[in-house]
Amino acid sequence: MTTGPVDVLVPSRTRVALALGSGGARGYAHIGAIEVLEARGFEIICIAGSSMGALVGGLHAAGKLSEFAEWARGLNQLDVLRMLDPSISAPGAIRAGKIFAKVRDLFDGALIEDLAIPFTAVATDLLARKEVWFQSGPVAVAVRASIAIPSVITPVVLNGRLLADGGLMNPVPIAPTVSSQADATIAVSLGGERREAPPGPPVKETAAQRPVEEWADRFRRTASSLLDRDVIRSITGRFSSGVSSSASEMYVEVDDLFEALPPGLGKGDVIAQSIEAMQTVLTRYRLAGYPPDVLVSIPRDACRSRDFHRAADMIDVGRSATEAALDLAGVSATHPN
């Protein structure tokens, strides 16, 4: 008996829309996330990114991510300091001109509309109070606008708009990907819960000073990602040795209750922590409006936002977090035709 050819159904690759969030140096984790998706056979058909997410997403869409990752892995702390290009008079602590010169070289004049993967870089128009989605024009220009962290990296003016970091209004930009014909949406948030101090309900606290024994452990936990151990030790030591909270000494000048600010706490630390606090709440609202199929969450205390010398560590963090999120969600790289 002769039979004809048999049609074999070959599973097709899962088409993924990728949203990459803002978060400074933690954005290196996006590289690890993309490496895992490619290794598992997913097809990335659309990318949107804010800030560092725009940089990594644009580089991947332009086919330059591996080159950038190799360069970033080789940076040490001294290399980063040399490239920061500090500014006293500009409305930002650094111009980062040397860093963006490297980025421009990598993009080599590429246009967003010519990229192999549809790409959106999200910036914030500070004057109009709205998001700006760059979906055409030079990739390097769009990324530079998206990555202008307020008071850290100088903002830019383009076509009459004062542009700053996209994470100010959309820390994890899923909305630009919703029109894609993806089988799944994967979002990588760089503002995940801290590993040692997860958020909870509001706490009630007294404005009266309390003995150091009551708050020292809590302070060590919450400040560990921001301050050095020696600084934390000096603060708790000063309070335990020189400040009393007895009722007879409660009526003092307000400023006398606060002590001096920690010597290791800089303006950049305060700004970064303030922005991250606001973005944490904003991210929850954004993800509720556009819930992804898979959420990869990178803890906020995985590294400081300015630790750009820790590429290798954060890429590994991104790989581990992505693998865990995919396994938990049960999303595979193939699906039946």
Side-chain angles (χ1 to χ4, degrees):
M1 179 177 177
T2 302
T3 59
V6 177
D7 292 331
V8 178
L9 294 178
V10 179
S12 60
R13 297 171 65 194
T14 297
R15 295 156 57 88
V16 168
L18 190 58
L20 303 178
S22 62
R26 291 191 300 277
Y28 287 132
H30 294 318
I31 300 174
I34 291 173
E35 288 177 351
V36 168
L37 292 176
E38 291 197 314
R40 291 198 177 193
F42 289 92
E43 181 184 2
I44 301 173
I45 66 165
C46 177
I47 303 175
S50 286
S51 194
M52 193 68 171
L55 173 60
V56 173
L59 287 166
H60 179 66
K64 299 290 186 177
L65 186 56
S66 60
E67 185 177 346
F68 173 78
E70 182 179 357
W71 173 75
R73 282 188 173 103
L75 293 176
N76 57 39
Q77 198 163 12
L78 182 58
D79 293 329
V80 173
L81 290 174
R82 286 171 175 168
M83 291 189 298
L84 287 182
D85 192 19
S87 170
I88 297 176
S89 59
I94 60 176
R95 288 182 290 262
K98 296 177 182 178
I99 295 176
F100 288 113
K102 175 66 176 180
V103 170
R104 285 194 301 272
D105 289 343
L106 288 171
F107 283 122
D108 193 25
L111 301 176
I112 296 175
E113 56 267 36
D114 295 335
L115 296 177
I117 301 173
F119 169 68
T120 302
V122 178
T124 298
D125 185 332
L126 293 177
L127 301 180
R129 306 292 198 271
K130 63 173 61 178
E131 292 177 50
V132 177
W133 293 2
F134 289 104
Q135 297 178 325
S136 63
V139 188
V141 173
V143 168
R144 173 63 181 87
S146 177
I147 211 167
I149 305 169
S151 297
V152 179
I153 297 179
T154 307
V156 296
V157 176
L158 179 66
N159 297 329
R161 299 184 184 276
L162 179 60
L163 299 170
D165 197 289
L168 290 174
M169 299 200 73
N170 201 340
V172 188
I174 296 176
T177 72
V178 296
S179 62
S180 67
Q181 300 299 311
D183 302 307
T185 299
I186 297 177
V188 183
S189 169
L190 305 179
E193 294 184 2
R194 296 181 184 275
R195 292 167 293 188
E196 296 185 358
V203 294
K204 296 181 179 180
E205 182 60 272
T206 176
Q209 203 150 34
R210 305 301 302 155
V212 67
E213 292 79 10
E214 292 187 11
W215 54 262
D217 287 342
R218 182 182 72 248
F219 179 78
R220 291 188 190 100
R221 291 194 302 270
T222 56
S224 61
S225 65
L226 178 62
L227 303 177
D228 295 332
R229 290 183 180 179
D230 291 341
V231 174
I232 295 173
R233 191 179 299 113
S234 70
I235 295 171
T236 55
R238 287 204 307 271
F239 274 94
S240 61
S241 62
V243 179
S244 171
S245 60
S246 64
S248 62
E249 298 181 7
M250 202 61 71
Y251 296 100
V252 296
E253 293 295 328
V254 171
D255 287 347
D256 292 338
L257 286 173
F258 291 125
E259 281 267 340
L261 289 173
L265 183 68
K267 184 186 298 183
D269 296 315
V270 175
I271 293 171
Q273 295 297 314
S274 300
I275 292 174
E276 288 185 10
M278 294 184 290
Q279 287 183 334
T280 298
V281 177
L282 182 56
T283 297
R284 293 193 193 118
Y285 282 108
R286 289 288 191 172
L287 292 179
Y290 294 95
D293 297 291
V294 179
L295 175 62
V296 180
S297 186
I298 307 299
R300 293 195 304 280
D301 57 351
C303 82
R304 294 178 298 181
S305 59
R306 65 178 184 274
D307 286 345
F308 288 100
H309 59 288
R310 295 188 55 191
D313 293 340
M314 289 311 304
I315 290 172
D316 289 341
V317 169
R319 291 182 62 88
S320 298
T322 303
E323 288 170 347
L326 290 173
D327 292 342
L328 181 63
V331 178
S332 64
T334 59
H335 63 90
N337 284 326

